Amino acid sequence: MGPVRPTADGCTVQIRLQPGAKRSAILRVDDEAVRIHVTARPVEGAANEALLRFLARDVLGLSLASVTLIRGQTHRDKVVAVRASADTVLAALARHAADGPA
């Protein structure tokens, strides 16, 4: 089924987050999750906030309110709800994964 699943008001995205990276980037999109690195450290929600901001503004071109963390507040494995179609989100993730470090 993949990491992006359609919902009634958009889609959800399964994410495996690596905080404390040199730069924020999508490492790859695989069958289980989207592998994302963010520069913020996992302190007081900074990495979660950086993830949401990176996804909304840099990857998807959406407002921050369109992306919500629904599971995984204190874990590397996260589920994010996005108010956009699954096809649109998957295409943007794949495009940015190709531009990022391999």
Side-chain angles (χ1 to χ4, degrees):
M1 186 178 253
V4 179
R5 297 183 179 147
T7 63
D9 58 346
C11 64
T12 60
V13 182
Q14 302 279 109
I15 294 171
R16 173 47 84 89
L17 184 66
Q18 177 66 50
K22 289 185 179 183
R23 68 181 207 138
S24 295
I26 297 176
L27 191 63
R28 69 180 179 270
V29 178
D30 60 33
D31 292 338
E32 296 175 15
V34 179
R35 312 293 174 154
I36 298 178
H37 290 183
V38 294
T39 57
R41 306 292 299 161
V43 178
E44 298 180 7
N48 289 337
E49 187 176 325
L51 168 65
L52 296 177
R53 185 172 288 113
F54 175 68
L55 276 177
R57 295 182 181 159
D58 299 338
V59 176
L60 302 171
L62 300 172
S63 70
L64 191 54
S66 298
V67 180
T68 308
L69 182 64
I70 57 174
R71 192 175 320 133
Q73 284 78 3
T74 60
H75 300 282
R76 289 179 192 251
D77 294 322
K78 301 180 183 296
V79 177
V80 173
V82 180
R83 284 188 233 151
S85 74
D87 291 338
T88 300
V89 171
L90 192 55
L93 292 170
R95 186 172 53 252
H96 279 77
D99 292 341

